[in-house]
Amino acid sequence: MNKIIVAIDGFSSCGKSTMAKELAGEVGYVYVDSGAMYRAVSLFSIQKGWITETAINADELKKNIESIHIDFKTNAEGKSETYLNGENVETDIRSLEVANGASRVSTLGFVRHELVRQQQLMGLKKGIVMDGRDIGTVVFPQAELKIFVTATPEIRAQRRLDEMAAKGEKANFEEVLANVKERDERDQNREESPLRKADDAVVLDNSYLTREEQNNLLRTLFNKKTY
Ligand code: DC
């Protein structure tokens, strides 16, 4: 069976990571969450005081971009976790503050340039599933299988709300929906590598699909490319 690169792009909170992780686990591929890398840069910048409500200190971030080292390690339960300069930051990078910062640092060309460089190195041997916003368009334009995942903003907001409720976090639907729409707007309209479907990507709208239906669809597409 030949090894391929699977690029999964799409909007926030549409289940990209879950499907990418499950496919990688089933077929024995490496899974890389590229959003976690932007989140790690955001966390680093917040810790240094370079991101405030109103501004980003892009000059300081640029000077220090090469001192940000991001790795993924698999924990005892087989789950991939994000490390920033040797420290496990998997929980810290999932906060709303870090997500909002990630959406902002990801508009900076020098940040994208550095992270894309690292992501391309990870794909040299193929056998990788990477999810993000520009994987099929910029990171791996040669990927053999490209998926563009979408779901309505309302459905994504409800999924996010359910996830937060499961963690005991309180939020209201309108607020979460506004945040989903704000991030969509920023992801699609930034100058650097905006979120868009690659011409050769397959659209997977999972608004009304169960997780199992979605995984089966993805597996069928994968099998077609590898057998
Ligand atoms: O997928 P996520 O929510 O973890 O991504 C965090 C932020 O990083 C999101 O605002 C979009 C951005 N991102 C990006 O610009 N390019 C990627 N390849 C992955 C994420």
Side-chain angles (χ1 to χ4, degrees):
M1 198 166 84
N2 59 320
K3 283 201 169 177
I4 65 167
I5 293 181
V6 183
I8 302 189
D9 290 304
F11 293 98
S12 63
S13 302
C14 62
K16 293 185 302 294
S17 304
T18 311
M19 77 169 81
K21 222 178 285 174
E22 288 178 0
L23 176 68
E26 270 181 38
V27 301
Y29 275 27
V30 172
Y31 163 64
V32 175
D33 173 358
S34 70
M37 300 173 75
Y38 289 92
R39 286 170 182 262
V41 173
S42 162
L43 177 65
F44 185 84
S45 309
I46 292 170
Q47 286 170 344
K48 296 283 184 193
W50 298 335
I51 297 189
T52 64
E53 287 272 311
T54 51
I56 299 185
N57 188 338
D59 288 343
E60 278 303 316
L61 180 54
K62 190 170 187 173
K63 266 192 246 157
N64 290 280
I65 191 79
E66 276 164 23
S67 63
I68 304 179
H69 299 288
I70 303 160
D71 306 300
F72 295 96
K73 289 184 195 161
T74 306
N75 70 12
E77 287 133 38
K79 185 174 170 278
S80 166
E81 294 185 317
T82 314
Y83 282 71
L84 168 62
N85 292 335
E87 191 192 335
N88 185 337
V89 292
E90 187 54 38
T91 308
D92 297 350
I93 60 168
R94 301 295 162 194
S95 74
L96 205 55
E97 183 193 9
V98 172
N100 288 334
S103 165
R104 291 164 68 200
V105 296
S106 67
T107 64
L108 301 170
F110 64 89
V111 171
R112 302 204 72 84
H113 190 265
E114 175 56 20
L115 295 190
V116 167
R117 189 187 68 78
Q118 295 186 19
Q119 290 153 5
Q120 288 174 335
L121 288 177
M122 294 172 182
L124 283 179
K125 290 194 206 142
K126 299 204 176 194
I128 188 168
V129 183
M130 191 177 289
D131 76 310
R133 306 291 190 286
D134 60 343
I135 310 305
T137 51
V138 176
V139 182
F140 299 125
Q142 79 286 17
E144 289 83 353
L145 178 60
K146 298 180 187 177
I147 310 287
F148 190 82
V149 195
T150 104
T152 67
E154 288 73 16
I155 285 180
R156 288 184 284 130
Q158 188 57 51
R159 288 178 187 160
R160 170 101 57 88
L161 206 65
D162 294 345
E163 265 171 35
M164 292 170 84
K167 286 193 235 159
E169 292 168 19
K170 282 205 184 116
N172 97 15
F173 179 78
E174 293 306 326
E175 256 173 41
V176 176
L177 179 61
N179 186 265
V180 164
K181 288 184 174 170
E182 186 187 317
R183 288 175 63 196
D184 284 0
E185 167 75 20
R186 218 182 278 146
D187 287 349
Q188 287 177 289
N189 295 309
R190 66 176 176 228
E191 267 175 39
E192 289 285 338
S193 317
L195 170 65
R196 67 168 184 84
K197 181 185 110 43
D199 294 339
D200 51 348
V202 178
V203 176
L204 201 164
D205 182 339
N206 66 14
S207 300
Y208 303 103
L209 293 182
T210 64
R211 196 157 144 178
E212 197 188 355
E213 285 168 338
Q214 159 184 292
N215 287 352
N216 288 342
L217 239 163
L218 183 58
R219 186 60 196 267
T220 306
L221 293 167
F222 176 86
N223 288 347
K224 273 197 202 150
K225 294 282 179 183
T226 49
Y227 287 106

